[in-house]
Amino acid sequence: MEQKIIVAIDGYSSSGKSTMAKALAKTVGYHYVDSGAMYRAVTLFAMRHGMIAPDGTVDSNALEADLPKIHITFATDTDGSQVTELNGEVVEQEIRGLGVADHVSAVAAIGAVRDRLTALQREMGVKKGIVMDGRDIGTTVFPQAEMKVFVQASPEVRARRRWLELAGKGQNVSYQEVLDNVRERDRIDTTRAISPLRKAADALELDNDHLTMEEQMQWLLGKFQEIAGGKN
Ligand code: DC
């Protein structure tokens, strides 16, 4: 019988991990799950329901009470790309803007939110054959994953990539604003009490500051073949 594995790709924001994870999933015929999109969709829900004060404080009690009302799904767009849905509405574009980015780390630090999304993510991996990217996939969601990758790049390189991406989408933000956002998210993601971003002891490290996407993909595919080889 064909045996598939779980691939967990964790790393800092805008480190290029989603692009790599998506490409790997496509190449090897696995499902791709963007766990960050799930935290972003919950953040959008909280913003829309007035649960985030102007100073950024999140009303975690109200959000926790409403968690059963939040349904996150993934659908395929006409061009074949994956889009995130919040209660049946496609919110892909909205969750990628700086509005959501400004609040998502605070929402992702709430224990009840993490418990709910972790449970959903584990369900998605029951049949294996999945590539999931995020912050705690190799440490908390799938500590038993057969392949774990931890992606690193400097804040400046990541901010530049993100800024180019946002500018390409017509969003008017300065490089400095994006760099500040990247640094602030790094700080919150690595220092939160529950499931902080950290490399799993058994994760393979990839520092991609000086690598092209093609070089990264070659490396990733090579590792996948080594690990999944006999099993796939
Ligand atoms: O990967 P991303 O930038 O779309 O993630 C958005 C935010 O969600 C990020 O600030 C950290 C949080 N996140 C998390 O806490 N755990 C995950 N598994 C994925 C994302």
Side-chain angles (χ1 to χ4, degrees):
M1 202 176 80
E2 186 183 75
Q3 265 196 332
K4 294 188 169 178
I5 67 165
I6 291 180
V7 183
I9 302 190
D10 289 303
Y12 292 89
S13 66
S14 306
S15 59
K17 60 188 184 319
S18 335
T19 312
M20 286 168 55
K22 248 181 248 171
L24 176 66
K26 196 172 175 192
T27 308
V28 303
Y30 277 22
H31 288 291
Y32 165 67
V33 178
D34 176 354
S35 69
M38 300 169 78
Y39 286 94
R40 287 170 182 265
V42 173
T43 305
L44 181 63
F45 179 94
M47 288 165 71
R48 285 181 174 177
H49 290 79
M51 294 171 182
I52 303 185
D55 71 354
T57 312
V58 184
D59 184 345
S60 53
N61 290 329
L63 182 55
E64 183 172 351
D66 270 2
L67 282 177
K69 293 186 197 158
I70 304 178
H71 299 284
I72 300 163
T73 42
F74 293 104
T76 309
D77 208 353
T78 42
D79 65 358
S81 64
Q82 188 172 291
V83 294
T84 312
E85 295 173 330
L86 170 61
N87 293 335
E89 174 196 348
V90 174
V91 291
E92 188 58 34
Q93 253 192 317
E94 235 177 310
I95 61 168
R96 304 294 167 192
L98 269 191
V100 167
D102 277 344
H103 301 295
V104 65
S105 287
V107 169
I110 299 169
V113 171
R114 300 207 71 83
D115 287 348
R116 176 86 200 287
L117 295 189
T118 298
L120 281 175
Q121 289 153 5
R122 286 185 180 148
E123 271 172 39
M124 293 171 174
V126 165
K127 291 188 189 157
K128 300 202 175 191
I130 193 170
V131 182
M132 190 177 289
D133 74 0
R135 303 293 189 286
D136 63 339
I137 309 306
T139 51
T140 303
V141 180
F142 298 123
Q144 81 289 12
E146 291 85 350
M147 176 169 167
K148 298 181 187 178
V149 179
F150 191 77
V151 191
Q152 314 212 54
S154 69
E156 290 76 15
V157 167
R158 288 183 286 126
R160 194 174 152 68
R161 287 184 192 142
R162 181 96 184 103
W163 177 67
L164 286 173
E165 192 186 317
L166 288 169
K169 288 181 185 160
Q171 297 209 20
N172 187 22
V173 282
S174 69
Y175 165 76
Q176 191 57 46
E177 269 179 277
V178 178
L179 179 60
D180 290 346
N181 177 267
V182 162
R183 287 212 171 107
E184 180 60 6
R185 279 207 280 159
D186 285 0
R187 190 188 65 75
I188 304 178
D189 291 346
T190 51
T191 58
R192 70 173 170 236
I194 313 162
S195 298
L197 169 65
R198 63 179 170 79
K199 178 187 163 299
D202 53 351
L204 303 161
E205 244 173 282
L206 173 67
D207 189 328
N208 72 13
D209 257 5
H210 305 291
L211 293 181
T212 62
M213 190 45 75
E214 208 170 297
E215 289 167 333
Q216 291 177 61
M217 280 315 297
Q218 243 175 11
W219 180 89
L220 193 63
L221 214 55
K223 295 291 177 197
F224 177 86
Q225 276 152 2
E226 264 173 41
I227 296 168
K231 296 186 177 164
N232 195 34

